[in-house]
Amino acid sequence: MPRDLIIVNCKQLVTLAGPSVPRVGHDLNNLGIIQDGALWARDGKIERVGTWDEIKTVAPTDADTIDAEDRIVLPGFVDAHTHLVFGGSRAGEFERRALGESYQSIAASGGGIRSTVRQTRAATELELLISAKRRAHWLLRNGTTTAEIKSGYGLALEHEAKMLRIARSLGETGTLRVVGTFLGAHEFPDEFRDRREEYVELLINEMLPAIANERLAEYADIFCEPHLFNTEIAYRIMIAASNLGFGLRMHVDQLNSSGGAQLAARLKAATADHLEQTDEPGMMALRDAGVQPVLLPASVYALGLQRYPAARRMVELGLPIVLATDLNPGSSPTPSIPMVLSLAVTQMKLSVAEAISAVTVNAAYSLKRAHEIGSLEPGKYADFVIHDCDDYRELAYYFGVEPARQVFIAGESVYER
Ligand code: NIG
Ligand code: FE
């Protein structure tokens, strides 16, 4: 017997339906909104969306019915950049920054990523799983149903693998959809401080092949900065990753403009992430190579900085922008896509619709998942969220609230306020 589900009384059913390509330019504003909409799903996948008048003529009369009570319904958010698995916290560093230290000076004095590496290595797999589950629930409460999750706080095969197994288990237990990314090139671990070249060799010859063998990650990532993995080293590591079949996502031009965007373009990476310092030639290189920019305004905000990536210019240039939380214990301790929408509009001058396209359909494209998630269209998973608001723009307008009232993954209710 098929399982049928109908959602009725959606004041705005924000479908994001459209041609099967990443959205650019004016199309970022086309949300495919159906007023007084309804959605019919069968066995976890969407059969039809339309007005209630249309759906009631085709959907089975004995379907389970959910009344959205005149609220707003959107696809689940796709958070295409998180570091959700980590041990401990860095609340102390957060306060030190307020009192005058910088992210870079704290890292140089032994804090920063290396501090989280020590805390993550010290944690048991069970402790890490419990804290990761807590954060995964924070994502659900904020309307996110798919998360890309990076390793990068183990920096040794055993601990990187541990992080990726935890990420994978969140997906397997149905908590939310997960895409794993190996970020062994996030920093140089303490024990390789004076032997950096050896760590690069270890990454290329042992860690990447082992992660590929175990199929623990689909993507490989790197923190490309002149003082860490500079563009030359990053090129070698990313080529090795690509040869092993990994898709590439790269942290570039966050702290310095050092040609990171051009490198991502040359490597035909799936995404170039951060881009706070990227100049015009860098943006054009990304566009010409078909690399999607992933913009992380919450990391600028939480570091107390002012320079946001040039999102408006990227839209003008025709780039298929993505927005994500960057959830991590250092630069961006937030699970909230609604907060990211707020920052995108207030600080980066995007329209609410552009920002919503960037956290749904475009984010799904960046993870090669657009055939199954990111919009509410027949054949895709019934991953959707009933938001407690009267107009989709309120998702970015009110901030500091959790608008999601009920969250569904493949037609199953996974969170209800
Ligand atoms: O995306 N920039 C590199 N990685 C993270 C920060 C990691 C950390 O500080 O723990 C980021 O901002
Ligand atoms: Fe990051």
Side-chain angles (χ1 to χ4, degrees), residues 2-288:
R3 246 181 3 81
D4 289 294
L5 176 71
I6 306 178
I7 314 302
V8 299
N9 287 324
C10 309
K11 185 173 181 208
Q12 297 172 335
L13 181 65
V14 182
T15 67
L16 280 297
S20 298
V21 285
R23 305 297 149 76
V24 297
H26 291 300
D27 286 342
L28 286 161
N29 280 302
N30 296 337
L31 296 184
I33 297 174
I34 303 171
Q35 312 287 339
D36 188 26
L39 178 151
W40 164 33
R42 170 168 285 185
D43 294 334
K45 293 219 167 150
I46 298 167
E47 285 285 328
R48 285 282 284 270
V49 292
T51 62
W52 173 233
D53 284 341
E54 289 161 358
I55 297 299
K56 74 180 173 207
T57 62
V58 290
T61 48
D62 60 350
D64 290 341
T65 302
I66 305 265
D67 188 347
E69 295 175 338
D70 234 15
R71 295 191 177 84
I72 308 302
V73 174
L74 264 82
F77 296 134
V78 178
D79 193 341
H81 183 138
T82 83
H83 309 247
L84 176 143
V85 180
F86 58 84
S89 120
R90 306 224 301 271
E93 291 183 4
F94 169 73
E95 189 174 53
R96 279 164 65 189
R97 281 197 301 274
L99 302 177
E101 290 181 71
S102 71
Y103 182 74
Q104 290 94 316
S105 67
I106 290 170
S109 70
I113 294 169
R114 284 186 291 145
S115 154
T116 299
V117 170
R118 291 189 284 269
Q119 299 181 76
T120 303
R121 287 180 177 181
T124 66
E125 193 149 342
L126 182 63
E127 287 165 344
L128 283 178
L129 178 65
I130 289 169
S131 67
K133 273 202 168 149
R134 175 168 175 243
R135 287 176 215 123
H137 281 109
W138 289 350
L139 292 190
L140 292 177
R141 290 169 64 118
N142 282 282
T144 296
T145 50
T146 298
E148 182 261 14
I149 301 179
K150 303 174 195 297
S151 62
Y153 294 120
L155 307 190
L157 181 56
E158 163 198 5
H159 296 288
E160 289 288 305
K162 172 172 84 174
M163 294 181 71
L164 289 168
R165 278 196 303 270
I166 289 166
R168 187 168 66 186
S169 80
L170 294 175
E172 284 169 355
T173 54
T175 310
L176 77 181
R177 291 186 201 281
V178 171
V179 179
T181 296
F182 173 64
L183 177 53
H186 199 191
E187 237 294 12
F188 291 91
D190 289 341
E191 65 277 18
F192 283 94
R193 280 322 268 176
D194 308 316
R195 306 179 281 141
R196 289 178 162 216
E197 181 53 32
E198 278 180 51
Y199 187 63
V200 173
E201 295 297 325
L202 189 72
L203 275 169
I204 292 174
N205 298 323
E206 290 178 33
M207 294 170 76
L208 277 165
I211 299 289
N213 255 336
E214 300 278 322
R215 297 181 182 279
L216 279 170
E218 211 172 307
Y219 290 92
D221 196 342
I222 192 161
F223 189 9
C224 182
E225 285 289 332
H227 66 292
L228 288 171
F229 301 90
N230 64 31
T231 48
E232 259 164 65
I233 297 174
Y235 178 80
R236 282 170 54 207
I237 296 173
M238 291 286 98
I239 286 285
S242 172
N243 288 340
L244 288 163
F246 291 98
L248 307 181
R249 317 180 81 79
M250 299 173 64
H251 286 71
V252 297
D253 300 342
Q254 178 185 15
L255 309 171
N256 297 281
S257 174
S258 65
Q262 281 88 344
L263 178 63
R266 180 167 165 216
L267 289 163
K268 296 257 184 290
T271 66
D273 304 44
H274 276 291
L275 306 170
E276 285 87 337
Q277 315 297 330
T278 303
D279 56 12
E280 185 92 2
M283 292 184 241
M284 288 184 350
L286 293 178
R287 180 194 57 195
D288 296 344

Side-chain angles (χ1 to χ4, degrees), residues 93-95 97-98 103 296-306 308 325-326 328-334 339 343:
E93 291 183 4
F94 169 73
E95 189 174 53
R97 281 197 301 274
Y103 182 74
L296 309 166
S299 70
V300 182
Y301 168 78
L303 289 176
L305 302 174
Q306 272 76 46
Y308 288 84
T325 62
D326 197 13
N328 77 72
S331 65
S332 192
T334 181
M339 180 68 197
L343 290 167

